[in-house]
Amino acid sequence: CSHILQEQIDIIQPKLLLILGKVAAESLLKQSQSLGAYRKMKNYYQGIRAFVTYHPAALLRNSEWKKLAWIDLQNLQKDLKESEDEFVWMLIIVTLIGIILDVVLGSMITNSIIKSIHQIEVGLLNFFRYISGETQELHNLQVTSRDEMFDLAKITNDNIEKIRVGLEQDQIFLKDVIQVANDLKQGNLKIRIVKDAHNQNLNELKDVINSMLDSLNNSVQSAIKNLERFDDNNFVHKID
């Protein structure tokens, strides 16, 4: 029957074993001792604490042994309670460790989020200063954490780069407009705005200005031709 007992132990995995009688003790513990010696020893079977006491048949034969068996059962109960207390304390310790880890990890995650938010804040402030003309240097958002904040910073950086390229294109366009205006001051009516802006409204303004310059140049050229005719005393033509 030993294999059946072993299967039951494997399934139940008890914390304590109660062995009844000397024959069972010798079979399981593989020792040859008196029952009294077994009762006084700390016995273990496959790492499981084992208590040895009198077999019920022996107690029927000798009622004096009942007191000793009762003491054995009390010792077993005491050991079981200590095991339960150890389990409770272990559970408390594991719970406390879990709480501490949650607090530590939560603090680390919070600090990481705060750091990422600060990095995004610094980057956006630099971007706003660039747009307002307070600085000529534009820096990307520097987020080192590999989380949602990193993805947000990457998307923001891509859009900031598009805006930067557009603003630089518009600045080149405005420089061209200023150059055209200066040439007009010098009387160069053939000059035109040739650069394209990123802003479509500025491109529309460019077309309007160039059209006005074409009309102005045509009018001036017509006036010059009529004035040349006036020099020849030809007053037939009118200046439009």
Side-chain angles (χ1 to χ4, degrees):
C1 300
S2 60
H3 68 282
I4 298 177
L5 176 62
Q6 185 61 51
E7 289 178 358
Q8 291 176 338
I9 292 175
D10 293 339
I11 294 173
I12 299 174
Q13 295 184 350
K15 295 180 180 179
L16 300 173
L17 289 176
L18 178 61
I19 302 174
L20 303 178
K22 180 181 177 182
V23 175
E26 291 178 345
S27 176
L28 291 177
L29 302 178
K30 307 301 181 184
Q31 297 182 34
S32 180
Q33 302 283 347
S34 66
L35 188 62
Y38 277 127
R39 291 179 59 247
K40 295 177 182 178
M41 294 170 55
K42 268 198 170 183
N43 303 294
Y44 290 91
Y45 175 72
Q46 296 183 354
I48 304 172
R49 180 76 166 91
F51 287 82
V52 179
T53 190
Y54 295 93
H55 192 277
L59 297 178
L60 292 175
R61 292 194 304 268
N62 190 340
S63 60
E64 293 296 326
W65 290 343
K66 293 181 180 179
K67 296 179 181 179
L68 299 177
W70 177 244
I71 293 174
D72 293 337
L73 292 177
Q74 287 180 321
N75 290 334
L76 184 146
Q77 184 180 19
K78 179 181 177 182
D79 201 285
L80 182 60
K81 186 176 185 302
E82 290 176 354
S83 298
E84 291 176 349
D85 291 341
E86 290 178 0
F87 175 76
V88 171
W89 277 110
M90 184 176 295
L91 182 61
I92 293 174
I93 292 172
V94 171
T95 302
L96 289 176
I97 292 174
I99 293 174
I100 292 172
L101 288 176
D102 285 342
V103 171
V104 172
L105 291 176
S107 177
M108 292 175 60
I109 293 173
T110 301
N111 290 336
S112 176
I113 293 175
I114 292 175
K115 181 180 178 181
S116 297
I117 292 175
H118 176 69
Q119 291 171 331
I120 291 176
E121 178 185 8
V122 171
L124 289 177
L125 288 175
N126 170 256
F127 173 65
F128 295 144
R129 291 179 60 208
Y130 176 81
I131 291 180
S132 62
E134 298 179 28
T135 180
Q136 297 299 318
E137 296 182 359
L138 181 60
H139 306 291
N140 287 335
L141 275 61
Q142 301 295 331
V143 176
T144 56
S145 61
R146 297 289 177 174
D147 52 16
E148 289 79 3
M149 289 295 182
F150 177 82
D151 296 335
L152 176 61
K154 185 177 183 303
I155 295 173
T156 304
N157 284 334
D158 292 341
N159 285 277
I160 287 177
E161 178 63 18
K162 292 178 182 178
I163 294 174
R164 183 191 66 79
V165 172
L167 289 176
E168 289 183 353
Q169 186 175 347
D170 290 343
Q171 288 177 354
I172 294 174
F173 169 80
L174 292 175
K175 288 180 180 179
D176 189 33
V177 172
I178 293 172
Q179 183 62 45
V180 169
N182 290 331
D183 287 346
L184 287 173
K185 289 180 182 179
Q186 302 298 322
N188 183 2
L189 298 179
K190 294 183 179 180
I191 193 69
R192 297 293 182 272
I193 302 173
V194 296
K195 300 294 184 181
D196 291 325
H198 179 264
N199 190 313
Q200 293 304 313
N201 291 329
L202 292 178
N203 285 326
E204 293 178 4
L205 178 62
K206 164 193 167 182
D207 294 337
V208 172
I209 292 175
N210 284 339
S211 179
M212 290 174 57
L213 291 177
D214 288 339
S215 298
L216 177 61
N217 184 55
N218 292 334
S219 297
V220 170
Q221 293 300 324
S222 177
I224 291 174
K225 289 181 180 179
N226 287 329
L227 289 175
E228 290 175 350
R229 293 191 185 98
F230 293 161
D231 288 341
D232 297 331
N233 295 322
N234 183 354
F235 301 101
V236 175
H237 298 278
K238 294 181 180 181
I239 298 176
D240 296 330

